[in-house]
Amino acid sequence: MMHFKFSPKILQRLGEELVPNPDQGIIELVKNSYDADATECTVELINTSAIGGSIIISDNGFGMDKNAISEGWLVLGRSKKAIREVTQLGRLPVGNKGLGRLAALQQGSQVILKTRPEDEPRVEYSLTINWNDFKEADVVEDVPFDVQKSSTDKRHGTDIIVSNLKKIFTKRDIQRLARELLLLADPFNNQAGFRLQLIASEFSEIEKQVNNAYFDDAEYHLKAYINESGIAEASLLDWQGKVRVHAEHSKLSQVNSQEPYKTPPTEFELWVFLLNPQSFSAKNSSVSTTQVREWLAQAGNVRLYHRGLRVKPYGDQDDDWLKLNYARSRNPEVRPSTKTVIGRVIVQDSEDMLLQKTDRLGFIENEAFLELKRFAIDVLEWMAKERLKVTETQRERVKKQVPHDITEAKARIEEVIEAEVPQESRPKVLGAVQQYEIVTERETKVLREDLLLYRSLATAGTTAAVFAHESGKPVTLIEKIARRIENKGRESLKEKYQEFLEDPVSKLYKVSQSLLRFSNFPLHFLKREKRRSSVVDIHSVIDDIIEIFQPFFDDGNIQVQKIKIDGKPCIYGSIALLESIIINLLTNSINAFNVDGGCNEGRKIIISTETGGGYVKLKVLDNGLGIRDIKIDEIWLPGRTTRPGGTGLGLTIVKDSVSDLGGMVKAIPKGELGGAEFIVELPISR
C-alpha cells in the first residue's frame, strides 16, 4: 500500500510563503491562546536585537494533553476548531487550518512546547522540535517526536519557546508588534476578557497612547447593526450622546431598500472627530487636538473584529478598506478620513459565512464579505447625507440671520454714538460709518457678481462633463463602424481597398480617437481632489497639461516649447487654481492663431519658468497677432473679448486665480515672439 509523502521543504514553504510576516505568525500563536480560553497571554522577546534571540508566548488557557498534541497541534492543514464548538467562556474559535503557527515556529531553529492541561492538575507535557533534523530527512514522516510527561506546580496553560532566531527585531518591528497585539482583542471593549502583554519598553509607550481613549471628544458617534434576518438600522449621536437621527433598513440599503444584507449579524460603531480648536472648545474639552491626533495615529481607522479578534489587514494604517479617504476627496466637508475616525465592525459569524484566506490576511471576497462591506459603506453614505443636511440647514440659517444681525449692529453703533460721542463730533462719525457702509455694499455687490459668474462657469463645466461622458458612446460606435467598413472593404474589394477606402477609413479612426481624447478632457480637470490646498509642483502641472493638450497642438500644427528652470519650484494652493491659469492662457494662445490674419505656418507657444525674490515667474507667449482692438486693462474684465463667439471669461479666471494664490499677473500686447505675452508671478512655497 502506498501513501502521499511530503518533502521537509513543504514545511518551509507553508510557513514562510503562506504567512510571510513574522508579526502575523506570532499573532497566530496568540490566537491559539484565545481559542484555548486564556484570559491572559504574554509575548516576551529575549535578546532579539541580534541573531540567535528567543520568543516566548505564554498563556493561562486550558492546555493540551498528549492526545491533543498528537492529533491537533502536530497536525497541519486540519484543525478541531473546524467543528466550531463554543468554548467554556462562550468564544467561537478563530483558528482555521492549523497552518498559521508554522510561520512563528520556524522563525528559530528550535521550538519547545510546554503545556499543562486543565483536567490533569500538576502535569506538564513537553515537546522539542529541532528544525535542522528535517534537513537530514527525506520525508517529513521520518522525523519522530517524543512527548515528555513530568510533574509541575504551575497552573494550567501553555508556553511556546522559539529559540535561536534567524532574524533580528528592530525597534520599529517591536513597535509594530506591540500595536498589533494591543489592537488584536479590541482594547476599547471592557468585556473582551483577553489581556495581552508584550514584555518590551516599546509596548508600555504604545499601550498608554492606545488606552488613552478620547471617545468623549468625538463630534459624532455612529451606531449601526444587522440582525439575524439581515435587516439593518443605524443611529447618529452627537457629542452629548443624544440621538440626532435614526434610520431603518429601507433608508440605509443603497441597492434594494427591501432586500436584507446577506451577511452574519454585525455591529458597526464609529467615532468621528473634528480636529480643530473650535470643536474642542465648544465641548469644554480638557484635552488638546494634538493629544487626540496622536491617539488616532496609533488607534485610528476602522477595524474588523471576527469572533472577538481582529482580522488584518482591515484598518491597518495604510489600509482604507471602506474607501473613507476616496469618499472624502469627493466631499471633504462632511466626510471623515482614516485619520479622523476610530471604529470597529464586529462580527460573530457562528455559521462560518466569512472565510479567511489561507495566509490569514483578510477574508475571501465571497457574497457574505461583500455584503458586510456594502453595509458599512451604505451606513457611511447615510451618515454623510445626514451631516450634509445639517450643514446646509446651518448655512441657510446663517444666510437668513445675517441681514438681521447687520441691522442690529447698525442700531447698536447708532446707540453708542448717541451715548458716547460728543454732539459736535457726531456728524463726522456718522459720515465715516455711512462711508464704510457704502464701501462694504460695493464689496458685497462685487462678490454677488463673482458668485453669479462662477455659478455660470460651474454649470458650464458640469454640463460639459456630462456631455463629455455621454459622447464616449457614439465615438466608440464610430470606431466600430469604421472597423466593420474596413473588414468588409478588404473582403470585397481585395487589392482595390487601398485605392478607394483606406484613406477615408483611416481618417474615421483618427477622428474617433481625437473625439475620445477630447471627451475625457473636461472630466480630467473636474476631479475634486484637485481643489484641495497643498504644496503644488508647478513643473508637474505644466507637463500634465501639455500632455493632455497635445491633440489640440497637433491638430493646429502648433509647436510648444517648455523652458523650465532647474529644480522643483512649488507653490502653496490647489492644482485646480494653477491649472485654471495655465489652461486659460494656453487656450488664449490657441485662439490667437485662429483669428483672421493669424499665421498658419510656424505657429509657436513658449511656456517658461524662472525664480527670484521669493517668487516663481511663469511666462506664456506665442507668435500670434498679439493683443489688439482692446485696451490692455480691459482684457481682464468679464465678458470683454475681441473673438467672435468668445465668452470673455478666460482672462478673468486667470486674474482671479492668480489673486487667490497671492500672486500678480500682467500682459504685454506684443511680446518676445511677436504675439501676446503673459507673465504670472506666484509666491514660492517654503
Side-chain angles (χ1 to χ4, degrees), residues 68-88:
I69 296 172
S70 174
E71 301 302 318
W73 201 79
L74 286 175
V75 178
L76 304 177
R78 171 174 61 84
S79 173
K80 290 185 177 180
K81 299 167 196 171
I83 302 172
R84 299 301 175 204
E85 293 180 354
V86 177
T87 68
Q88 291 182 5

Side-chain angles (χ1 to χ4, degrees), residues 625-654:
L625 296 178
I627 300 172
R628 56 179 190 167
D629 302 328
I630 186 173
K631 294 180 180 179
I632 192 68
D633 58 346
E634 292 183 1
I635 63 172
W636 312 108
L637 299 176
R640 297 288 286 132
T641 179
T642 59
R643 184 171 62 88
T647 63
L649 298 175
L651 293 181
T652 303
I653 295 171
V654 169

Side-chain angles (χ1 to χ4, degrees), residues 222-514:
L222 173 69
K223 291 184 176 182
Y225 309 89
I226 299 177
N227 64 18
E228 293 79 1
S229 302
I231 303 302
E233 63 176 300
S235 298
L236 187 61
L237 294 75
D238 63 16
W239 63 275
Q240 295 175 312
K242 296 178 181 177
V243 176
R244 289 302 180 186
V245 62
H246 180 81
E248 300 295 338
H249 183 91
S250 59
K251 289 186 177 180
L252 293 175
S253 180
Q254 301 290 315
V255 175
N256 187 324
S257 60
Q258 303 303 320
E259 189 74 17
Y261 291 99
K262 299 178 179 64
T263 197
T266 301
E267 177 185 349
F268 179 20
E269 199 165 13
L270 185 78
W271 290 264
V272 182
F273 295 82
L274 298 185
L275 298 177
N276 59 63
Q278 295 84 356
S279 172
F280 280 64
S281 63
K283 296 190 285 285
N284 294 319
S285 176
S286 60
V287 301
S288 68
T289 56
T290 301
Q291 289 173 292
V292 176
R293 189 174 280 109
E294 290 175 352
W295 174 60
L296 290 174
Q298 292 294 342
N301 211 338
V302 182
R303 292 175 184 82
L304 176 55
Y305 290 88
H306 183 244
R307 293 176 172 159
L309 294 184
R310 185 185 164 217
V311 179
K312 283 177 65 66
Y314 310 116
D316 279 352
Q317 290 178 321
D318 58 350
D319 181 78
D320 187 13
W321 68 291
L322 296 180
K323 308 297 182 187
L324 288 170
N325 296 332
Y326 172 74
R328 179 175 172 80
S329 70
R330 292 187 289 117
N331 197 343
E333 188 175 15
V334 296
R335 300 274 191 172
S337 73
T338 54
K339 295 182 179 179
T340 61
V341 301
I342 184 168
R344 57 194 179 195
V345 177
I346 302 171
V347 191
Q348 285 302 316
D349 189 23
S350 59
E351 301 298 324
D352 279 331
M353 295 175 70
L354 298 174
L355 305 174
Q356 277 196 260
K357 298 176 182 177
T358 304
D359 63 3
R360 314 290 283 148
L361 291 175
F363 288 109
I364 295 171
E365 295 200 350
N366 59 8
E367 182 182 43
F369 177 74
L370 293 176
E371 284 287 278
L372 172 70
K373 190 174 178 180
R374 182 172 73 87
F375 157 70
I377 292 174
D378 284 351
V379 170
L380 290 169
E381 188 72 25
W382 167 79
M383 181 182 72
K385 289 178 181 177
E386 294 301 326
R387 289 185 63 190
L388 185 59
K389 289 179 185 177
V390 172
T391 302
E392 288 300 317
T393 301
Q394 291 173 343
R395 187 179 288 121
E396 288 299 319
R397 187 185 302 123
V398 170
K399 284 169 66 176
K400 292 179 180 178
Q401 184 66 26
V402 164
H404 179 263
D405 290 345
I406 291 174
T407 302
E408 281 194 348
K410 185 176 179 181
R412 177 61 181 154
I413 289 173
E414 291 174 351
E415 288 176 6
V416 171
I417 292 173
E418 186 73 26
E420 303 294 337
V421 178
Q423 185 72 34
E424 63 274 12
S425 301
R426 288 177 190 173
K428 289 184 179 180
V429 175
L430 286 171
V433 171
Q434 289 172 355
Q435 183 63 31
Y436 175 76
E437 288 177 350
I438 292 170
V439 172
T440 53
E441 179 58 33
R442 189 184 306 153
E443 181 186 31
T444 302
K445 184 179 179 182
V446 170
L447 290 174
R448 286 199 196 101
E449 291 173 352
D450 279 354
L451 179 62
L452 289 173
L453 168 63
Y454 285 102
R455 277 180 176 167
S456 298
L457 290 172
T459 302
T462 53
T463 304
V466 171
F467 285 140
H469 182 270
E470 293 301 318
S471 67
K473 299 173 184 177
V475 168
T476 304
L477 184 59
I478 291 172
E479 191 171 339
K480 287 181 179 179
I481 292 172
R483 187 175 294 110
R484 187 172 182 182
I485 293 172
E486 180 183 12
N487 293 336
K488 288 293 183 182
R490 291 186 185 279
E491 180 183 330
S492 302
L493 297 176
K494 308 294 184 187
E495 65 278 356
K496 292 184 178 181
Y497 171 81
Q498 185 173 358
E499 179 183 352
F500 292 104
L501 288 180
E502 186 172 58
D503 186 53
V505 169
S506 64
K507 286 181 179 178
L508 272 177
Y509 279 130
K510 184 178 179 181
V511 167
S512 65
Q513 288 301 313
S514 294

Side-chain angles (χ1 to χ4, degrees), residues 460-461 463-473 475-476 478-479 507-526 545-558 583 587 590 594:
T463 304
V466 171
F467 285 140
H469 182 270
E470 293 301 318
S471 67
K473 299 173 184 177
V475 168
T476 304
I478 291 172
E479 191 171 339
K507 286 181 179 178
L508 272 177
Y509 279 130
K510 184 178 179 181
V511 167
S512 65
Q513 288 301 313
S514 294
L515 286 173
L516 196 57
R517 286 196 297 267
F518 295 158
S519 69
N520 291 328
F521 194 78
L523 299 173
H524 175 82
F525 294 114
L526 286 173
I545 291 174
I546 296 299
E547 182 181 351
I548 292 171
F549 261 74
Q550 199 58 52
F552 291 93
F553 300 139
D554 292 342
D555 288 349
N557 296 314
I558 301 170
I583 289 170
T587 302
I590 293 171
N594 296 323

